[in-house]
Structures are given as C-alpha cells and as structure tokens.
Amino acid sequence: MTGLLAAAAVLTAPRWLPARVVALRRRVFEGVNGDHAITFPNAEFGPDRFLEVYGHPAANGRSRGAGLSDLFWYWLSPGPEVHQEHLEAGPRYDDAARTTRALLAGPADALSAAAARCAGRVLDERAGGRATLVRLRDLMAPVWAEYFYELVFGEPCPRAARDLIVGHADDVASALKCTGLRHPARRARLTRYLARRVAAGDVRRPLPASLSPAERVHYLQGTLFTTGVVQMSEAMAHLLLVLAHHPDVAARLAADPDDDRYFAHVLDETFRLYPLFGIAHRVTTGDIALDERTTLPAGSVLCFSYPDYHASGHDRPEVFDPDRWDRVPARAAHHIPFGVAANRPCPAWRLSPLALRAATGEVLRRFTLHSTAGHTRSLPNRGPCLLVRVGEPLPPRHLAVLGALLRVRDRWEDVWRSVVQLVLGTVMVLHARRLRLAGRYFDTRDDRGCPVPHRPPHTQEIPE
C-alpha cells in the first residue's frame, strides 16, 4: 500500500506539487525578507483607492528603508544604486530619466523599422526550418539586444556584443525567477565592454552628467541592457504565447497587419492578464492619510499588486478577450501596463507598443505559432512554442502529437523547476540579506547618493 501511494504521489506530482512549492516559496520570501509591507489593493482599501495611493507624492521612495531593496539590488547588480528604477527622487533620478527618454526617442517610423529589422534578422538566423521548437523568451532576447544596441550606439549590433548583452540579460532574468544563481563574472564582461565604448565616446546621446564615469556605465547596463532587454523579451514572449494559445487572434492579426486598433486591444489584454510587474514597491517619504482612522507613516513599505488591480473591475477577468477593449476604454479601466504617470512611469511607454507591433508582424509573416505549454505571469518556462513556416503547414496529426509531448514535458519540467526555485530562491534571499547592498549603501549615503560626512560620536553616545 505504501508503495502504491508513493507511486501515485509521483505520477500525480505535476498536478499538486508546483502549487504547493509556490506557496511555500511565498512564505519563505515573506518570512526571511522581514519587511512589514502593506499591499494594495486590500480588503480595506480596494482598487478604487489604488491609483490614489500609488500616485501620492509621498509614495515616491524607491530603495531606502526597505528590506525588499536589498533583494532587488542583489539581483540587479552591478550598479543597482544608479539604476533608474532604484534611484531616489531628486536631481540624479531626474538626470537619469531625462537621458533614458532621449535614448528611447525618435520618429515612430524609425523606431518601428528598427524593431522589424532586428526581429527579421534574428528570426531568419535562428528559425530557418519548416518547424522549429523554441523558448520564446530566449528567441526574443537577441532581437531586443540588437534593438537597444542600435538605440544606444546608432549602428548595427556585432554578434560578439549581442552575445554579451544576451548572456547578461538571461543571467539577471534567471536570478529574478530563481531558476538560476547569479554569475557576477558574466555580468562583469558586459560592464568592461560598455566601459570601453563609453570612454571612447560612442554613445549617441550624452549620459547623465550627475553620475561619475563608472556610474554612467552601470546606468547604461542596468537601465537599457538589463531592464530594457529583459522586459521587452518578456513582453514579446507573453504576446506570442497568447497568440499560440489563441490561433483565431493570431490569424486576424496576420490577415490585417495594418489594423492598429485590434493590435492595441490584443496588447492591452496581454498586459492585463500578464503584467510585466507582479509587485511594485515604494517607500513613503512622508505621512499618507488614507482616512480619519488610518495614516501610513513615513518609512512605510507599500506594495502595489498589478495582477490584483488588473483583475478587478472586469467581467470574467481570467478570460483572454481582446474585444473587451471595444466596450471599455483602456484609460477608464483598471489597467496600468506602464505604471502611473505620477510615480515613475515606464520610460518606454511610447516605444514599446510600436516596437512590439513591428516585431510581431515579422513573426506572423513567417510563422504560425503552436503551444500547449502553461502560461503564467512569471513565465519561468520561458515560453515553449512550435514555430511552423507559413505556407508549409504540418499535418494535424503531427501537430497533435507534438502538442501532447510539449504539454507533458512542460508539466514535468514544472515539477523540478518549482523545487529548484524554492532552493535557489531561499539561498539568494539569505545571501542578499547578509550582504545588505541597499542598506549598507544608505548607511553611508544621503538620498541623493552623496557620501555622508563621518561625524565623531558625542560623548553621551559612547557606550560605557
């Protein structure tokens, strides 16, 4: 009997084990990290108050005073202290944000053409056969590595540089998802390459004047070649996996590639169901009065849940339905794919839809998409998908067999991957807490990142 129960537990593991491990991971992260964070929306202050609190002028602290910051600085090193998303509000943040906007600016036609060119080049290189099984995030990473390289340096991306950027971005993404540990040496290779290019004056726009030469390199690496590449690769993987699961939507986009309105609805629905940010955390720099009974004191850690907010106020929120945006304008819905304008909005809010649409057009012009793999917001499986060349369809029986095999492989991978995430996630949380990268930094720096002069202790402060 014991043997039968053990065998049944093993055989049914794909159904029950991943969810149990995810729940355990969540408890480990909450317990080990030690933040007493307040998550919005919650039972007392629901979605109707979400934007009010998120956009409050005092909800503008980013790193100082939050244990969560130690973890994110750990994952995003080197140089998280000058990453645009982790700079505290002030002149240095304004300088970095202004530089990022300048690097991402340009005529819409030129931004779209560059995305199409980069996507076409990578697709022709990596998926040349009749049918190719890929991981969508891995397929898309070289596209956006080339794209951001062109935006930064104004020239085509050499293969060696692309490999450095992709290796670094994959290392960060794997660490963030707890599917792999960090490899600082791999990241340092990109840092050294960018340092040479910055020293030679190759960047097409001036870098933030308020940063030191070393900090400018780290700013460039973190903002453009980490967050830019990772987030666009993730966004594209979510979008293409949605199209693989909804062939009618993909067929409509392929049949009318000039239908900007329908593509916008598909993209909005993709971001609604699979927001790139799960939780955005902020630290209050002043008191926030929520009502006559509740005030959030300065120094409070606030966590804003994008999935919970996006799921509220919609009929059948679990269903992928691009046509819902014909009935409800995106601006009137609980929908903030690029954050809120009052509190560090995504600098790529204009560029992203243009570039994603152009790259998607290149994919659909070449392939039909097929996948039976699971699709979650965090996408730890990196989006398994079969690309079939347009005009060379596979027999339905072959597609059915491949789909069944892909489904089985993905479910069993989910079993060992969830255990790996639990182990590696716990290791990295503990390591990050021991290093205290953000905490140690702010122990010796003010909000502007300037060194705090050492003050000898007053005699009354010297312990006996």
Side-chain angles (χ1 to χ4, degrees), residues 50-392:
F50 184 90
L51 293 183
E52 174 193 343
V53 180
Y54 199 174
H56 195 282
N60 67 339
R62 187 59 180 100
S63 293
R64 187 171 193 170
L68 282 168
S69 301
D70 287 325
L71 186 56
F72 281 99
W73 281 38
Y74 175 86
W75 278 329
L76 292 174
S77 61
E81 70 277 6
V82 291
H83 190 295
Q84 184 174 321
E85 275 300 303
H86 292 278
L87 284 167
E88 298 302 302
R92 280 158 56 95
Y93 171 78
D94 295 338
D95 200 6
R98 186 165 45 247
T99 301
T100 304
R101 289 194 298 269
L103 286 167
L104 301 183
D109 289 347
L111 294 172
S112 297
R117 183 172 60 250
C118 294
R121 191 160 52 231
V122 171
L123 290 170
D124 291 343
E125 169 194 323
R126 294 203 163 196
R130 181 185 181 187
T132 308
L133 185 60
V134 300
R135 305 271 182 172
L136 290 170
R137 197 192 84 196
D138 298 345
L139 178 67
M140 288 296 113
V143 173
W144 303 112
E146 292 198 7
Y147 187 70
F148 283 101
Y149 180 97
E150 289 195 13
L151 291 179
V152 170
F153 296 114
E155 63 185 28
C157 182
R159 179 59 182 271
R162 189 183 85 181
D163 290 345
L164 287 175
I165 297 166
V166 169
H168 165 74
D170 179 69
D171 195 62
V172 172
S174 296
L176 283 165
K177 298 176 190 301
C178 301
T179 56
L181 295 173
R182 302 180 315 152
H183 298 85
R186 183 183 303 169
R187 302 182 184 199
R189 287 194 287 271
L190 178 60
T191 307
R192 291 192 294 269
Y193 172 82
L194 293 175
R196 292 194 297 270
R197 298 299 302 273
V198 170
D202 294 336
V203 180
R204 67 182 187 89
R205 300 277 188 179
L207 293 174
S210 59
L211 302 183
S212 70
E215 288 175 331
R216 291 170 195 164
V217 173
H218 285 145
Y219 151 80
L220 196 62
Q221 181 167 351
T223 304
L224 279 300
F225 294 119
T226 299
T227 299
V229 174
V230 169
Q231 295 288 61
M232 289 294 281
S233 301
E234 291 275 315
M236 195 75 185
H238 281 301
L239 178 57
L240 294 179
L241 196 55
V242 157
L243 298 182
H245 287 163
H246 300 274
D248 56 325
V249 176
R252 181 172 169 181
L253 287 176
D256 191 0
D258 296 325
D259 189 346
D260 294 349
R261 181 180 177 84
Y262 187 64
F263 178 83
H265 290 348
V266 172
L267 188 61
D268 279 333
E269 185 69 348
T270 301
F271 282 157
R272 185 190 70 80
L273 271 173
Y274 308 105
L276 297 182
F277 288 104
I279 295 287
H281 82 276
R282 298 290 185 266
V283 184
T284 58
T285 55
D287 293 351
I288 299 178
L290 298 181
D291 57 29
E292 64 279 1
R293 296 178 294 104
T294 308
T295 296
L296 303 175
S300 299
V301 179
L302 311 181
C303 290
F304 299 95
S305 172
Y306 278 58
D308 289 342
Y309 182 67
H310 281 186
S312 63
H314 295 280
D315 294 331
R316 299 189 305 158
E318 75 285 354
V319 175
F320 179 81
D321 178 18
D323 293 330
R324 76 170 72 243
W325 300 106
D326 281 326
R327 304 184 294 271
V328 180
R331 291 185 178 182
H334 292 169
H335 189 59
I336 50 168
F338 300 106
V340 295
N343 195 337
R344 296 174 180 263
C346 174
W349 66 268
R350 171 178 174 266
L351 173 144
S352 293
L354 296 171
L356 290 169
R357 180 173 176 272
T360 301
E362 292 298 309
V363 174
L364 295 179
R365 190 163 62 83
R366 291 168 169 80
F367 306 107
T368 58
L369 308 167
H370 308 268
S371 182
T372 54
H375 191 176
T376 62
R377 190 209 65 80
S378 62
L379 205 68
N381 62 8
R382 310 195 309 277
C385 186
L386 182 69
L387 307 182
V388 178
R389 180 72 57 177
V390 168
E392 302 179 39

Side-chain angles (χ1 to χ4, degrees), residues 7-29:
V10 171
L11 291 174
T12 59
R15 293 186 178 181
W16 61 269
L17 183 59
R20 299 283 180 87
V21 173
V22 167
L24 182 57
R25 278 180 60 217
R26 187 179 297 115
R27 289 198 295 272
V28 169
F29 272 61

